[in-house]
Amino acid sequence: MLAGTVNYFSFWYEGKEKEGFIRQLTPLECERLMGLPEGWTAYGNEDKAISDHARYKALGNSIAVPCAEYIMAGVAESL
């Protein structure tokens, strides 16, 4: 995959160059990739819905659950 501009990328499928669009992941997909339950970041204080921007920010400032589990298992093993 070659990066072009912000909106386009080029890729080769079966030897042919094609153009496509980069699709932004949804907050739900980001939660799944981080190992969190679905809808984990959907609601904030007092069950108020959180904007997608705030959800992306929260997910970007977090650590993936499987990574944290791996690190903590190593710490527990060494103790």
Side-chain angles (χ1 to χ4, degrees):
M1 182 183 311
L2 301 174
T5 63
V6 175
N7 296 326
Y8 299 99
F9 70 96
S10 298
F11 65 96
W12 288 262
Y13 179 72
E14 296 179 2
K16 296 180 180 178
E17 184 178 341
K18 298 188 179 202
E19 254 184 44
F21 292 95
I22 296 175
R23 183 181 68 83
Q24 185 175 4
L25 296 175
T26 65
L28 176 63
E29 292 169 327
C30 292
E31 289 171 341
R32 290 174 179 166
L33 289 171
M34 295 297 287
L36 297 170
E38 293 182 4
W40 184 261
T41 60
Y43 298 98
N45 191 21
E46 300 174 4
D47 291 329
K48 293 183 180 177
I50 296 177
S51 70
D52 285 352
H53 177 75
R55 292 176 74 183
Y56 287 124
K57 190 172 181 179
L59 290 163
N61 288 329
S62 63
I63 183 171
V65 174
C67 293
E69 288 175 345
Y70 179 79
I71 292 168
M72 295 310 292
V75 169
E77 188 176 304
S78 67
L79 294 177

